[in-house]
Amino acid sequence: EDSTGNLFQNDASSTVAYGGTATATLNVPFTNNGTASVGAGGTVSISAPFTNNGNLSVGSGGTVSISGGGTWGATATESGSGILSLDGGTLTAAPGTSFADFRLNGGTFSGTASVTSNMNLVYGTLTGTGTLTLASGGTGTLGDYGDNGVYLTGGYHLVNNGSMATTTDTVNGYNTYVYFQNASTFENAGTFTLTDGAQFVYQDATANHFQNDAGGSVAYGGTATATLNVPLTNNGNLSVGSGGTVSIS
């Protein structure tokens, strides 16, 4: 209830668990050095800074919503088939951090981490000189929130080693917008699919870059137009299906 040094701390070798199917709210700074778990179908909302140096396990259909930002140490992991959702604030990760299922949903992510299973970048910001990597075998989606989009800024490096696609929301008319700033890069070494209306937007005169590596595949199978307004280097396979247009400007 005040701005003093209040803290909820889970020590190493200790466990904090939520087994409910509704929502529990932690509106106090939370440091996890042990194991924190959320059961199937449950939601834990963390609206104050969250420092994780241990393991966070999220069960099927479960969600951990972070809106107060925080930090993840080099040994921190997130496991299970539920979702870790960054809904607000800035979450900074040390190299070595890993997530099983990660969703960027309005927050800001900095630092270096890998995602092993599913990465859903709805909208928000990837910032700084770190790298966020979707691992081989993982799946991902990129953008679905109007023109708010996903920002790569400060030299950030987004890497796809798995199977990733932009999104086209036919109900609300939202398409993927990715904004490049301050010499940032999206590197594809896996399979990347462009959908109708997707736009990569070059917002400044720095060395922003979309790179398709040798062995990588970029495909557009739509029947309208996808726009790449960012320098493109293709060292792999680039394909456009029948009736579709990719505008590289």
Side-chain angles (χ1 to χ4, degrees), residues 137-243:
T139 59
T141 55
L142 185 57
D144 186 10
Y145 200 84
D147 61 358
N148 288 299
V150 176
Y151 285 80
L152 305 181
T153 187
Y156 206 82
H157 193 180
L158 175 64
V159 179
N160 172 41
N161 287 328
S163 178
M164 196 172 185
T166 62
T167 54
T168 300
D169 185 336
T170 57
V171 176
N172 298 305
Y174 297 158
N175 303 316
T176 293
Y177 287 79
V178 182
Y179 300 99
F180 291 75
Q181 301 172 343
N182 311 123
S184 295
T185 298
F186 175 35
E187 178 181 356
N188 178 60
T191 300
F192 183 65
T193 302
L194 290 163
T195 53
D196 285 344
Q199 295 191 42
F200 284 11
V201 183
Y202 189 70
Q203 289 209 306
D204 57 30
T206 60
N208 299 296
H209 196 200
F210 175 31
Q211 178 174 314
N212 187 38
D213 292 344
S217 173
V218 175
Y220 173 60
T223 57
T225 301
T227 301
L228 301 178
N229 182 24
V230 63
L232 167 65
T233 298
N234 177 42
N235 296 314
N237 184 58
L238 178 63
S239 65
V240 179
S242 176

Side-chain angles (χ1 to χ4, degrees), residues 42-99:
T43 296
V44 172
S45 174
I46 305 174
S47 54
F50 177 28
T51 300
N52 186 32
N53 297 308
N55 175 248
L56 173 66
S57 173
V58 188
S60 176
T63 301
V64 172
S65 169
I66 297 174
S67 58
T71 58
W72 279 52
T75 59
T77 59
E78 183 266 330
S79 61
S81 56
I83 297 171
L84 176 71
S85 186
L86 180 54
D87 299 329
T90 298
L91 182 65
T92 301
T97 295
S98 67
F99 305 101

Side-chain angles (χ1 to χ4, degrees), residues 21 70 83 119 136 172 185 221-222 245:
T21 56
I83 297 171
M119 180 168 69
S136 176
N172 298 305
T185 298
T245 298

Side-chain angles (χ1 to χ4, degrees), residues 78 97-103 109 113-121 132-139:
E78 183 266 330
T97 295
S98 67
F99 305 101
D101 289 84
F102 176 74
R103 179 172 67 196
F109 183 84
S114 62
V115 179
T116 58
S117 181
N118 183 263
M119 180 168 69
N120 183 9
L121 305 180
L132 181 62
T133 302
L134 177 63
S136 176
T139 59

